[in-house]
């Protein structure tokens, strides 16, 4: 009940980013339903919809106009859009409290590089979800002599990889009865793990964690190795060969690695060109395979050859 109450309060605070004419009907639902909402989606000339575990539900009499989207962005950036220019260019902004807002519209590019997004057509306000201690039961299987070994975290899209990674980073960073605190460098390219806002992590990532925000993974890893002497580097969603090469370089420096990847199993990962090299290079010693959803979610640790 306590967790449901906290999740409902997060939803209420997200609604405060919206114009009052939209937030009033959004607040006219049960607190039980509020606690289940994952995203609030706003699309011009459409009704606001709530994303729940079983799909999207439109709310009657909440038709969105362009001015509504502009107001959400103004409130999310505290009326200082220039402070969020870099992430707007990447298609999102992070509001205080860890609310990540995805942006769609017309991309203005120059020489193949995005400059900004104009004529905004839709927004996705993601409600931050923190599941404390979900990584703790499997932690003993990821430690050798009190130090975490390089670990790959797998699940299909939306399977809970980022949430698990965030909790694992928090636990290792703070330390446990099984291990001393780890000095962790967290690469948060898309602002989904720590949800940095004006230099402050809005989500719990531990007291010995340094965050490199909104930076491409390969560049961030190089910068962190040069400047922060991490014991562990953590990052989300490896997708390119360049990411794999950067991880290999980090492993040669004696740094432990925590990384997530889209795959439902190790066999699926091994069949995907550009990602099977992650397994073949031998830098990861463990894999956490996540299956199921909600209360039926399971975390299985496999030892890698």
């Amino acid at each position: 009940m306590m967790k449901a109450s906290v999740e409902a309060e997060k939803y209420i605070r997200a609604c405060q980013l919206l114009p009052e004419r939209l937030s009033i009907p959004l607040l006219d639902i049960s607190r039980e339903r509020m606690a289940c909402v994952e995203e609030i989606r706003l699309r011009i000339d459409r009704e606001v919809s709530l994303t729940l575990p079983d799909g999207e539900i439109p709310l009657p009499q909440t038709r969105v106009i362009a001015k509504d989207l502009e107001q959400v962005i103004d409130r999310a950036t505290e009326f200082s859009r220039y402070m969020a220019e870099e992430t707007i260019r990447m298609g999102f902004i992070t509001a205080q409290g860890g609310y990540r807002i995805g942006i769609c519209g017309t991309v203005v590019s120059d020489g193949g590089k995005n400059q900004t997004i104009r004529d905004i057509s839709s927004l996705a306000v993601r409600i931050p979800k923190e599941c404390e201690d979900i990584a703790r039961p499997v932690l003993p299987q990821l430690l050798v002599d009190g130090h975490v070994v390089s670990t790959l975290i797998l699940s299909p899209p939306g399977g809970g990889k980022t949430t698990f990674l965030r909790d694992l980073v928090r636990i290792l960073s703070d330390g446990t009865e099984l291990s001393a605190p780890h000095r962790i460098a967290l690469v948060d390219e898309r602002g989904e793990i720590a949800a940095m806002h004006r230099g402050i992590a809005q989500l719990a990532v531990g007291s010995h964690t340094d965050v490199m925000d909104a930076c491409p993974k390969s560049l961030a890893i190089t910068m962190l190795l040069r400047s922060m002497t991490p014991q562990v580097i953590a990052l989300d969603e490896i997708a390119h060969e360049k990411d794999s090469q950067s991880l290999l370089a980090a492993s040669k420096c004696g740094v432990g690695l925590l990384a997530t990847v889209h795959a439902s199993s190790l066999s699926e990962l091994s069949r995907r060109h550009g990602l099977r090299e992650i397994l073949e290079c031998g830098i990861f010693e463990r894999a956490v395979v996540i299956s199921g959803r909600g209360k039926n979610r399971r975390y299985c640790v496999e030892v890698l050859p």
Side-chain angles (χ1 to χ4, degrees):
M1 290 296 292
M2 179 66 72
K3 178 175 174 54
S5 177
V6 170
E7 297 301 332
E9 288 299 324
K10 289 181 181 179
Y11 171 83
I12 292 170
R13 289 195 293 274
C15 290
Q16 294 171 356
L17 294 169
L18 278 60
E20 187 174 6
R21 73 174 191 87
L22 297 179
S23 64
I24 289 176
L26 263 67
L27 293 171
D28 191 25
I29 63 175
S30 69
R31 289 184 68 88
E32 289 76 16
R33 173 146 288 190
M34 289 180 182
C36 296
V37 176
E38 298 173 351
E39 290 180 335
I40 302 171
R41 288 191 171 262
L42 300 93
R43 303 176 176 99
I44 289 181
D45 205 32
R46 298 288 187 271
E47 293 175 331
V48 177
S49 64
L50 305 180
T51 303
L52 298 160
D54 53 354
E56 283 191 35
I57 299 177
L59 295 181
Q61 300 180 341
T62 58
R63 190 168 293 273
V64 175
I65 60 176
K67 185 179 178 180
D68 296 327
L69 304 186
E70 297 297 328
Q71 288 187 28
V72 172
I73 292 177
D74 283 338
R75 293 181 181 183
T77 60
E78 300 172 19
F79 297 91
S80 299
R81 290 197 190 192
Y82 71 94
M83 295 287 290
E85 285 179 352
E86 288 298 323
T87 61
I88 289 176
R89 189 176 297 140
M90 297 169 65
F92 72 92
I93 52 179
T94 302
Q96 186 173 12
Y99 298 89
R100 187 175 185 274
I101 302 172
I103 304 171
C104 270
T106 301
V107 173
V108 179
S109 61
D110 183 13
K113 294 184 178 180
N114 295 347
Q115 298 301 310
T116 189
I117 299 178
R118 62 174 176 80
D119 298 333
I120 295 170
S121 58
S122 60
L123 300 175
V125 182
R126 184 174 298 181
I127 313 297
K129 302 290 185 181
E130 294 181 276
C131 298
E132 189 171 320
D133 286 337
I134 57 171
R136 197 173 292 274
V138 302
L139 181 63
Q141 300 175 69
L142 308 180
L143 297 172
V144 173
D145 296 329
H147 297 283
V148 67
V149 297
S150 292
T151 299
L152 199 59
I153 302 162
L154 291 75
S155 85
K161 296 182 299 298
T162 302
T163 302
F164 181 89
L165 175 64
R166 182 189 304 117
D167 191 55
L168 180 59
V169 166
R170 178 189 64 82
I171 292 171
L172 291 168
S173 178
D174 288 339
T176 72
E177 66 280 1
L178 300 177
S179 63
H182 286 61
R183 187 169 60 254
I184 298 179
L186 176 60
V187 180
D188 199 4
E189 181 176 4
R190 300 189 304 175
E192 293 183 302
I193 311 173
M196 301 296 287
H197 179 76
R198 300 190 187 280
I200 300 173
Q202 302 297 293
L203 304 177
V205 291
S207 55
H208 295 85
T209 299
D210 304 298
V211 182
M212 189 69 79
D213 184 47
C215 181
K217 298 180 186 69
S218 55
L219 176 59
I221 290 172
T222 300
M223 295 170 66
L224 290 166
L225 288 172
R226 289 175 177 171
S227 61
M228 300 305 294
T229 60
Q231 295 172 305
V232 178
I233 291 179
L235 64 159
D236 204 14
E237 296 191 12
I238 305 169
H240 305 289
E241 186 176 348
K242 184 182 291 187
D243 297 337
S244 302
Q245 293 172 348
S246 298
L247 291 174
L248 181 59
S251 70
K252 291 180 178 179
C253 295
V255 176
L257 301 167
L258 304 174
T260 71
V261 65
H262 284 320
S264 59
S265 65
L266 289 171
S267 59
E268 178 188 332
L269 183 62
S270 67
R271 293 192 299 269
R272 291 168 59 186
H273 178 70
L275 291 179
R276 62 172 175 265
E277 289 80 1
I278 295 172
L279 296 176
E280 293 172 352
C281 67
I283 59 177
F284 289 99
E285 299 180 46
R286 300 287 188 277
V288 178
V289 182
I290 305 174
S291 59
R293 299 184 68 87
K295 295 180 180 179
N296 295 320
R297 190 161 284 160
R298 298 290 181 267
Y299 305 92
C300 177
V301 177
E302 298 191 30
V303 178
L304 300 178

